[in-house]
Amino acid sequence: MTVCAIKGIAAHNNYNVTSVFTVKHFCLDLLSNSASESRGSSMDLRRSSFYSTLDLVPQLENYASTLPHQKSRSRPSLEALRKAFDVRFSTSGNHISQQLMRCMLNIWGVILFLRLTWIISQAGILLTCLIILMSVTVTSVTALSISAIATNGRVISGGAYFMISRSLGPEIGGPIGMVFSFANALACALNTVGFAEVVRDLMEFGVVMVDSVNDLRIVGVITVTVLLFISLAGMEWESKAQILFFTVLMVSFSNYFVGTFIPASLEKQAQGIFGYHSEIFMSNLKPDWRGPENNFFQMFAIFFPSAIGILSGANISGDLKDPATAIPKGTLMAIFWTTISYIAISVTAGSCVIRDASGNISDILSGNITDGCVGQGCKLGWNFTECIESNSCIYGLANSSKVLGQVSGLSHLITAGVFAASLSSALGFLVSAPKVFQCLCRDNIYPYIGFFAKGYGKNDEPLRAYILCYIIAVAFILIGELNIIASLISNFFLCSYCLINFSCFHASITNSPGWRPSFHYYSKWTALFGAVISVVLMFLLTWWAALITFSIIFFLFGYVNYNKPKVNWGSSVQAGTYNMALSYSVSLSGVEDHVKNFRPQCLVLTGPPNQRPALVDFVGSFTKHISLMICGDIITVSRSWLVKWMNKRKVRSFYTPFSAHSLRGGARHLLQASGLGKLKPNTLVLGFKTNWRDSSSESIEDYINTIYDTFDSNYCLCILRMMDGLDIFDQFEIDDISDKCDSDQIKTVFQNDQGKKTIDVYWIADDGGLTLLVPYLLTRRKHWRSSKVRVFIVGDEQNMEEGRNEMVALLKRFRLDFNDVIVMTDSEKRPHAKNLSRFVDSVAPFRLHDEQQDGISVEDLRQSAPWKISDKEFEAFKLKSERKVRLNEIIRRNSQHAALVLVSLPVPQSDCPRALYMAWLDTLTCGLHCPAVLIRGNQQNVLTFYCQ
C-alpha cells in the first residue's frame, strides 16, 4: 500500500517509478520537502534551487552566523549535497527619531544653559561661533566615520567600543573601551553637577544645608541616585523619561526666543538686558578675556563637552531595531539642528545682553550725561561704572549663569529646561557607560572585569555595571567643580573620536573586501583629518591630561598586545597585515638571489612532526626568527621563463611548477601543498574543456575527477568558459604550454567584453556568497567599474514581488550595489523539444543501452567505462537534466548582450555518471556570446551583514 501511494504521488509529479534510482531520489526529495514544510511557515523560505531540493536558493538567515550569543545558522555541506542527505535549516522599524532625540538631548546639556553666555562674554560672538563650528567639525567628521562603521554590518550593544574593536581589533578596541566607559561616567557627573548647581542657586531666603560647595555635592549625589533607580527600572522607563525631557526642552527654547522680542522692562535693563540692539551686537562681537587662564582654547575645552552627545545613540545600538539606518541619519540630523540652536542662542544673547550690569535701577542715567561712564551700558542710558571698576557686577553675560532665564518670557521655564537638559544628558550617559562596559567585559580582553558582564531581564540590563558607573560618577561629583570636570572629559572624548576616525581610515586603506559600508558619504581623508585634529586639540586644550590619557591607552594596549586574546573579529589590522605580507611576498619573488642575503630555508621531511621531535628541534634551533622552515610529510609519490613573462605583464602571482602524470594528481597535490600560512589557496579555478566529446575517456574522467576531488576537499570551484574558439583549458594542457598560446588575445577579448556594461549573476543555489563576491570584486577594477550587475533568482509568479523584495533586502544587508534583481518565474516549465533533443543527442555517444549488450552484462561494461551512462541512470537523472536545459534557455534569453555571465555550479552527487555531469556543465553554458563562469562556494559564508 505504501508502494502504491509512492507510485501515485510520483506519477503526479512526473517521476518514473520503474527505476530504483528514481524511487530513491524521489523519496529523498519528498522527505526533504516534508521536512522543510514542517520547519518553516512558508515554502518560499526554503525554496529549492534548480539543482535539487536540498540545494536551496540564497537566504538571508544563512548569513547571520556571526551574531554573538546565538546559534549559528547552517546550510547543507557539499558532502551532504553530494550524498543527498537531508540537513536541517534554522530559519529565523526604523528608530531614527529615537536616535535623533537621544543625540539632541545629550548635546543640549548644562554647558548650553550655564556656560554658553559666559563663553560669549569672554570670546565674543565671532570666536564663540568659531568654537561652535570647530566642535561641530570634529563631531561631524566623526559622525561620518561612525556612520560608515555602523553601516558596515550589524552593530550590537557596545556602541563606539564595539565599532572600534571590530574595526581595529582588540589591541586598540580594549583600551578605548575602558577609556570611553570612564568618559561616559564622567559626563554623567558633569551634567549632574550642573543640575545641582542650579538647584543650589534656587535655594533662596538663606536656605543652606551646610555650605555652598557641600550643598552642591549633596544635591548631586541625591540626583544621580535617583537617576540610577530610573536606569535600573529598564530601558522603557528611561525612554519615557527622555521623551518628557525633550518636550520640556522644546518649550524652554520657544520661551527663550519669544522673550528676546519682548520689550525689556527697567528691571531687566538694570540686569543688562535691552532686547535687540546693534550697539550691543557690535560691542559683543570681539573677545574680552578676563583672567590669565581664560583664552580661546580654554573656552573651547569648556564648551566641547556640549558636543559629545553624538555617540549616545550609537552606545545603545543593541536596543535599536535598525542601527545601520538610525545611527547615520539620527546622528547627522542631531548635529545639524543642535548647531543651529547653539549659533542662534549665541547670536541672540550677544545681541540682547551686555557683559556687565549691577541690577540696581538707580544706576539709570539722567539726561545725556555720560562723562566718566564705563562699559557697554553708557550708550543705552545706564551707568554701571561702579560695579565694573570694583568687579562686583552680578548680572550680564560675564557674571550671571541665569542670563537665558532672565531674557526669556518666563524664567521658570528656562529653569525647567536646565533641569531637562542636565538630567536627560546625565541619564543618557549613565545608561551608555554600562552598556559599553558590559560589551567590553564580555569580550574577556582584561582580567577581573568579567563580573560586570552579566545582564538581567529581557533587555539584558547590565545592573552590576550600572552600580560601578554610579560609584565613579559620585566620586567626581564630590569634586564639585564644573569647569575641571569639563576639561577632563574633553580629552577622553577627543581620544575616542581620534580612534573612531582612525578606524574608518584604516579600514578604507586596507581595501578589504569585507569593508562595504552602505553609507557612502564619507572619505578616508576626512577620517584621517578628524583623527589628527582630535590629537592636536587634546594637547592644545590640556597637554598634561592628554599625556595621561595616552599613557593609559598605551599601557592598556601593551597589556592586550602581550596577552593576545583569542578573538577574531576580522579587523582592518588583520587586513593590513595580509596586504603587507602579500605585497612583500610577491615583491620578494621578483628579486634575484644574492650571496649576502642567503638564508637556510628548510623543508624538513619529518613525516608527522611529533614522531621525529629531535629532527624538528635541531632544524628549529638555527631557523627560528631567522629563516623559513617547512615540515614535509610525503604520503605518495621548470620553466623559469614563465616567471619573467608574468613579471613583464605585471601579474601578481607565484609560479609553482609540479611534475605530475595527470591533471587530477597535480591539482590534488597543489591544493594540499601550495601556499604559505594564510596565503593558501581555497579556490580552484579551471578552464572549461569544450572538446570533452572528442577527448579520450581517460581525459574526461581525469578532468571530472579533479572537479569531484575539489568538492570532496571542501574547496571552492570556479570554471571559466570563454567564447567559441578561445577556450582557456584547451589551450593550456598540462603537457603543452608553449608559444602557440596567444594569451594576449585572450586577455584582450576578455577585457573588451566588459564594454557591454552588463554582468549577469544567476544565483541559483546558496553557496555562501562566493557567487556574489566575485562580481563585486570585478566591479572594483578599472575595466569593470562602470558595468551593471543583475542578479537572477528562482521564484514563482504568485510570490514574485515578495521574493524579489527579500533578495533586495539581502543585497542591501551585504552592502552590494547591484543594479537589478530579476525573479525567474518560468523555471518550472519544460524545455523546448528542440533543445531537449539536442541534449539527448549530445550524450548519446556516452550511453550504455541495455538492448545492445550482446551477451555482455551491464556490470562488465560499467567496469570498463565507469564514466558512461546506463539507461537506468539516464532515467533517474532525467528531471535534473531537463532543468539544466531549461536554465540554459533562460540564460540565453536574458543574457544575450551581457559581458559576463556567472551561474551557480551544480554539486555532483556521488552516483551521478561522469559523462552526464560533464554534459550538464556543457548545456548550462552553451550558446552564449560572452565568457561564462560556473562558480560554487564551499557552503561557508564569505559574506556577512554583521560587524563581527
Side-chain angles (χ1 to χ4, degrees):
M1 185 172 181
T2 304
V3 174
C4 294
I6 293 177
K7 287 185 177 181
I9 299 173
H12 178 72
N13 289 276
N14 297 320
Y15 279 84
N16 186 346
V17 295
T18 60
S19 169
V20 65
F21 292 94
T22 306
V23 172
K24 171 187 173 183
H25 284 279
F26 165 71
C27 292
L28 288 170
D29 287 353
L30 182 63
L31 289 173
S32 175
N33 287 332
S34 300
S36 64
E37 287 177 354
S38 64
R39 288 191 298 269
S41 59
S42 171
M43 280 297 295
D44 294 330
L45 295 177
R46 289 184 43 81
R47 184 175 180 83
S48 62
S49 72
F50 273 92
Y51 304 136
S52 75
T53 54
L54 297 182
D55 200 3
L56 302 184
V57 298
Q59 300 177 49
L60 182 147
E61 287 78 10
N62 289 335
Y63 296 86
S65 60
T66 54
L67 180 63
H69 314 302
Q70 286 197 10
K71 186 178 180 180
S72 298
R73 315 300 184 190
S74 63
R75 61 172 64 83
S77 64
L78 293 174
E79 181 182 6
L81 291 174
R82 291 204 60 197
K83 296 181 179 179
F85 287 151
D86 185 27
V87 178
R88 291 178 177 268
F89 280 76
S90 298
T91 60
S92 46
N94 188 5
H95 277 198
I96 296 177
S97 59
Q98 179 183 351
Q99 169 77 3
L100 172 65
M101 181 180 67
R102 184 174 295 276
C103 286
M104 293 178 72
L105 283 174
N106 281 268
I107 295 174
W108 285 328
V110 293
I111 302 298
L112 170 65
F113 290 96
L114 301 184
R115 292 295 183 270
L116 182 59
T117 54
W118 177 71
I119 293 174
I120 296 170
S121 72
Q122 297 282 330
I125 297 175
L126 291 179
L127 291 184
T128 300
C129 291
L130 179 61
I131 289 173
I132 295 172
L133 293 178
M134 286 178 59
S135 302
V136 169
T137 299
V138 176
T139 56
S140 297
V141 171
T142 307
L144 295 177
S145 300
I146 292 171
S147 300
I149 298 173
T151 57
N152 189 52
R154 184 173 175 181
V155 182
I156 63 169
S157 180
Y161 158 72
F162 186 87
M163 297 177 191
I164 296 175
S165 61
R166 271 55 177 180
S167 296
L168 286 179
E171 295 85 0
I172 299 297
I176 205 62
M178 294 287 284
V179 172
F180 191 67
S181 301
F182 185 69
N184 275 270
L186 290 189
C188 175
L190 171 76
N191 287 276
T192 304
V193 168
F195 171 80
E197 187 176 299
V198 176
V199 172
R200 180 198 61 187
D201 293 342
L202 288 176
M203 293 180 180
E204 299 177 353
F205 309 110
V207 177
V208 177
M209 290 181 286
V210 182
D211 55 50
S212 177
V213 176
N214 287 309
D215 286 356
L216 186 146
R217 294 168 177 167
I218 294 171
V219 174
V221 171
I222 294 174
T223 302
V224 76
T225 304
V226 174
L227 294 178
L228 173 66
F229 286 124
I230 296 176
S231 302
L232 295 177
M235 286 298 297
E236 294 82 1
W237 285 95
E238 190 265 348
S239 298
K240 293 177 181 178
Q242 296 284 21
I243 294 174
L244 174 62
F245 292 147
F246 186 79
T247 304
V248 173
L249 271 174
M250 291 297 100
V251 174
S252 178
F253 284 143
S254 301
N255 171 57
Y256 165 74
F257 286 111
V258 170
T260 60
F261 292 97
I262 298 176
S265 62
L266 289 178
E267 289 78 7
K268 284 192 174 184
Q269 291 182 16
Q271 296 173 356
I273 302 169
F274 295 90
Y276 291 102
H277 276 274
S278 59
E279 294 85 357
I280 298 178
F281 176 77
M282 295 303 297
S283 61
N284 286 335
L285 276 178
K286 298 180 180 180
D288 181 18
W289 307 114
R290 301 185 180 185
E293 296 182 356
N294 292 332
N295 53 56
F296 177 82
F297 289 106
Q298 180 65 20
M299 295 302 106
F300 181 88
I302 294 174
F303 174 81
F304 187 75
S306 66
I308 61 179
I310 61 170
L311 294 177
S312 58
N315 290 337
I316 60 161
S317 52
D319 298 307
L320 299 173
K321 289 185 179 179
D322 188 6
T325 301
I327 290 175
K329 292 184 178 180
T331 303
L332 293 174
M333 290 173 63
I335 291 175
F336 174 78
W337 289 115
T338 53
T339 302
I340 295 297
S341 65
Y342 273 117
I343 293 178
I345 292 175
S346 299
V347 174
T348 54
S351 302
C352 297
V353 187
I354 62 177
R355 284 187 168 96
D356 299 288
S358 64
N360 296 324
I361 299 180
S362 60
D363 288 337
I364 190 171
L365 286 173
S366 57
N368 294 324
I369 301 175
T370 58
D371 293 340
C373 184
V374 177
Q376 297 171 325
C378 298
K379 297 181 180 180
L380 301 172
W382 290 82
N383 184 4
F384 301 124
T385 304
E386 182 179 352
C387 77
I388 291 174
E389 292 179 347
S390 61
N391 293 324
S392 60
C393 296
I394 59 174
Y395 292 98
L397 294 174
N399 306 290
S400 176
S401 61
K402 303 177 182 179
V403 171
L404 297 186
Q406 294 163 357
V407 173
S408 64
L410 295 174
S411 61
H412 296 295
L413 290 179
I414 294 297
T415 302
V418 176
F419 289 171
S422 57
L423 292 178
S424 64
S425 298
L427 183 59
F429 288 115
L430 184 60
V431 171
S432 298
K435 295 280 187 180
V436 174
F437 192 64
Q438 181 188 39
C439 185
L440 172 65
C441 295
R442 284 179 171 173
D443 288 336
N444 292 321
I445 296 177
Y446 295 106
Y448 312 119
I449 62 174
F451 174 80
F452 300 99
K454 184 175 178 57
Y456 297 86
K458 63 178 182 179
N459 290 328
D460 197 29
E461 296 293 344
L463 302 186
R464 296 175 179 178
Y466 277 131
I467 302 299
L468 178 63
C469 178
Y470 167 78
I471 294 173
I472 295 174
V474 168
F476 279 86
I477 288 172
L478 295 179
I479 295 177
E481 182 56 49
L482 193 66
N483 291 354
I484 295 177
I485 301 175
S487 299
L488 291 174
I489 290 176
S490 296
N491 267 277
F492 286 122
F493 275 95
L494 280 170
C495 184
S496 302
Y497 293 167
C498 170
L499 268 296
I500 290 174
N501 285 297
F502 183 75
S503 301
C504 182
F505 170 74
H506 195 268
S508 299
I509 63 172
T510 54
N511 292 319
S512 172
W515 175 250
R516 303 186 306 276
S518 57
F519 181 84
H520 301 294
Y521 305 102
Y522 77 99
S523 169
K524 59 184 177 183
W525 302 117
T526 58
L528 179 61
F529 169 77
V532 172
I533 197 65
S534 296
V535 174
V536 171
L537 289 174
M538 286 180 66
F539 283 94
L540 288 177
L541 298 183
T542 314
W543 64 268
W544 57 268
L547 287 178
I548 293 175
T549 302
F550 277 110
S551 298
I552 295 173
I553 292 289
F554 288 138
F555 172 78
L556 296 173
F557 168 82
Y559 177 86
V560 178
N561 194 52
Y562 177 78
N563 284 279
K564 298 188 183 300
K566 296 180 179 180
V567 295
N568 184 10
W569 294 326
S571 65
S572 60
V573 173
Q574 292 176 334
T577 303
Y578 177 87
N579 285 348
M580 289 189 292
L582 180 62
S583 178
Y584 291 148
S585 299
V586 175
S587 300
L588 189 62
S589 64
V591 178
E592 295 183 2
D593 293 334
H594 194 280
V595 64
K596 291 190 299 184
N597 295 324
F598 172 78
R599 295 169 185 264
Q601 301 183 145
C602 303
L603 171 61
V604 190
L605 302 183
T606 60
N610 60 344
Q611 295 183 8
R612 296 176 178 86
L615 181 60
V616 174
D617 293 341
F618 168 71
V619 179
S621 64
F622 63 84
T623 59
K624 187 176 182 181
H625 301 312
I626 296 175
S627 62
L628 177 66
M629 172 182 173
I630 300 176
C631 294
D633 185 6
I634 299 178
I635 301 175
T636 61
V637 92
S638 143
R639 297 176 173 89
S640 60
W641 61 270
L642 284 177
V643 176
K644 298 180 180 179
W645 178 84
M646 288 191 296
N647 292 336
K648 182 179 179 181
R649 294 173 60 84
K650 299 181 180 179
V651 177
R652 295 172 61 89
S653 175
F654 298 103
Y655 174 59
T656 307
F658 177 76
S659 299
H661 297 291
S662 66
L663 172 66
R664 182 184 186 184
R668 179 183 297 174
H669 175 86
L670 292 175
L671 285 174
Q672 293 176 353
S674 63
L676 179 64
K678 290 297 182 181
L679 300 179
K680 185 177 180 64
N682 58 14
T683 302
L684 178 64
V685 181
L686 290 173
F688 184 73
K689 193 174 182 65
T690 53
N691 64 342
W692 67 278
R693 294 185 185 86
D694 304 326
S695 302
S696 64
S697 60
E698 293 81 9
S699 177
I700 299 174
E701 190 169 5
D702 188 33
Y703 181 85
I704 301 181
N705 283 336
T706 302
I707 297 175
Y708 278 44
D709 289 345
T710 304
F711 284 115
D712 290 339
S713 302
N714 204 35
Y715 280 83
C716 304
L717 182 62
C718 180
I719 301 176
L720 172 63
R721 181 172 187 174
M722 298 295 291
M723 294 172 287
D724 294 340
L726 282 174
D727 189 88
I728 296 293
F729 186 85
D730 292 341
Q731 300 208 40
F732 284 93
E733 296 290 346
I734 61 172
D735 57 351
D736 185 21
I737 302 180
S738 63
D739 290 334
K740 73 179 183 179
C741 170
D742 190 357
S743 54
D744 286 329
Q745 182 186 7
I746 294 173
K747 185 174 181 180
T748 301
V749 171
F750 193 80
Q751 289 184 351
N752 287 344
D753 268 354
Q754 57 82 32
K756 297 177 182 178
K757 304 298 183 188
T758 303
I759 299 176
D760 287 346
V761 182
Y762 292 82
W763 201 18
I764 307 302
D766 196 352
D767 62 344
L770 183 67
T771 309
L772 290 182
L773 185 62
V774 169
Y776 166 75
L777 295 177
L778 273 175
T779 55
R780 297 179 65 179
R781 307 302 301 169
K782 178 181 178 181
H783 292 287
W784 295 87
R785 189 168 298 163
S786 59
S787 300
K788 296 181 180 179
V789 182
R790 301 187 299 175
V791 179
F792 293 81
I793 61 173
V794 180
D796 52 61
E797 194 168 355
Q798 290 79 8
N799 300 311
M800 179 177 66
E801 194 62 29
E802 180 183 354
R804 183 181 184 278
N805 292 337
E806 290 177 357
M807 179 55 64
V808 169
L810 178 60
L811 296 178
K812 286 184 177 179
R813 289 286 188 95
F814 291 153
R815 292 93 61 205
L816 296 173
D817 295 327
F818 288 176
N819 297 86
D820 196 10
V821 174
I822 300 172
V823 181
M824 299 179 291
T825 59
D826 54 352
S827 59
E828 303 290 343
K829 294 182 180 179
R830 286 180 57 83
H832 294 293
K834 179 180 178 181
N835 296 327
L836 187 58
S837 176
R838 186 184 297 114
F839 172 80
V840 174
D841 294 339
S842 69
V843 298
F846 309 99
R847 296 276 302 274
L848 297 175
H849 298 290
D850 296 341
E851 66 272 16
Q852 298 177 357
Q853 303 311 311
D854 296 330
I856 303 176
S857 65
V858 176
E859 288 74 17
D860 293 337
L861 285 174
R862 167 62 65 201
Q863 292 179 359
S864 62
W867 50 277
K868 287 195 173 184
I869 313 166
S870 68
D871 289 342
K872 290 182 179 180
E873 290 171 333
F874 187 82
E875 287 298 320
F877 291 98
K878 182 178 180 181
L879 182 59
K880 295 181 181 295
S881 300
E882 291 179 355
R883 301 201 74 182
K884 307 299 184 297
V885 176
R886 178 56 185 164
L887 179 56
N888 176 255
E889 293 175 352
I890 296 174
I891 295 174
R892 285 192 294 169
R893 180 187 65 201
N894 293 310
S895 303
Q896 295 182 23
H897 305 292
L900 180 66
V901 172
L902 294 96
V903 187
S904 297
L905 180 71
V907 175
Q909 295 181 357
S910 55
D911 55 354
C912 179
R914 295 334 193 221
L916 182 60
Y917 183 74
M918 193 67 202
W920 286 352
L921 302 187
D922 191 14
T923 299
L924 282 172
T925 55
C926 71
L928 297 178
H929 301 289
C930 66
V933 177
L934 290 165
I935 187 168
R936 187 71 186 222
N938 63 353
Q939 304 301 102
Q940 302 297 318
N941 288 345
V942 299
L943 297 172
T944 179
F945 51 83
Y946 286 105
C947 250
Q948 187 171 348

